[in-house]
């Protein structure tokens, strides 16, 4: 998929902008391509065994007993988040890229909802953050995060 972006400046009316865009588009060469379409729903139904699954948006969540105004996750939900290969590496790389965009030890990072593993807070500390604030509402997860950060050697960050 390609996108053509053209900035047209200095035209006072919509019609002159349109004319300028049309002129630019006349100079652009477009090569058609073939797209393979997915099989029809009837073909899929004929060749597959129907299955179903359902869950709610709050599965794995529970309210903290001491503070009903917060939501917490059980340990398996935290582990699933850390192991989520479709998103976690992207978040991790975004943190690294942002920290590498400036001089080392010049940026402060806030990890809001750090969880018991403090995964992104530790990622930031490893990759040059001057200071990292890891915030967690669950007292149990916060205690586990403190232990994890200390074991990893980043308690001074």
């Amino acid at each position: 998929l390609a996108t053509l972006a053209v900035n047209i400046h200095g035209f006072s009316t919509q019609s002159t902008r349109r004319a300028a865009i049309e002129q630019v588009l006349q100079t652009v060469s477009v090569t058609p391509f073939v797209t393979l379409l997915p099989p029809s729903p009837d073909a899929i139904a004929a060749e597959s065994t129907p299955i179903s699954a359902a869950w709610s948006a709050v599965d794995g969540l529970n309210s903290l007993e001491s503070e009903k105004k917060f939501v917490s996750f059980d340990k398996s939900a935290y582990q699933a988040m850390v192991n989520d290969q479709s998103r976690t590496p992207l978040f991790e790389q975004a943190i690294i890229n942002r920290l590498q965009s400036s001089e080392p030890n010049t940026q402060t990072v806030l990890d809001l909802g750090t969880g018991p593993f403090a995964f992104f807070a530790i990622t930031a500390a490893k990759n040059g953050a001057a200071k990292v604030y890891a915030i967690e509402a669950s007292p149990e997860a916060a205690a586990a995060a403190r232990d994890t950060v200390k074991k990893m050697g980043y308690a001074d960050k």
Side-chain angles (χ1 to χ4, degrees):
L1 176 65
T3 303
L4 174 65
V6 180
N7 290 325
I8 306 294
H9 299 286
F11 294 96
S12 59
T13 67
Q14 183 66 29
S15 61
T16 47
R17 275 187 241 128
R18 177 175 285 147
I21 292 170
E22 287 174 358
Q23 184 179 5
V24 170
L25 292 177
Q26 288 174 2
T27 64
V28 176
S29 173
V30 177
T31 304
F33 60 93
V34 176
T35 302
L36 298 176
L37 298 176
S40 71
D42 292 336
I44 293 172
E47 296 177 13
S48 61
T49 304
I51 61 169
S52 67
W55 58 90
S56 75
V58 294
D59 283 353
L61 296 175
N62 56 9
S63 293
L64 294 173
E65 295 304 318
S66 61
E67 294 286 335
K68 293 295 184 187
K69 59 186 171 187
F70 291 114
V71 174
S72 69
F73 297 93
D74 61 33
K75 191 164 183 169
S76 66
Y78 284 118
Q79 191 66 54
M81 288 181 228
V82 169
N83 293 335
D84 182 349
Q85 291 303 302
S86 66
R87 293 181 288 184
T88 300
L90 297 175
F91 293 140
E92 183 178 22
Q93 191 59 53
I95 293 166
I96 293 167
N97 290 346
R98 179 66 175 121
L99 290 169
Q100 290 177 349
S101 72
S102 64
E103 295 296 317
N105 296 312
T106 60
Q107 293 194 42
T108 300
V109 174
L110 171 64
D111 181 3
L112 189 58
T114 197
F117 306 117
F119 184 77
F120 295 126
I122 291 170
T123 296
K126 281 182 183 177
N127 287 281
K131 189 74 175 170
V132 179
Y133 294 94
I135 309 297
E136 176 56 53
S138 163
E140 295 83 15
R146 275 191 291 279
D147 290 343
T148 301
V149 168
K150 187 176 180 181
K151 286 177 190 172
M152 298 294 291
Y154 293 105
D156 64 330
K157 289 271 189 174

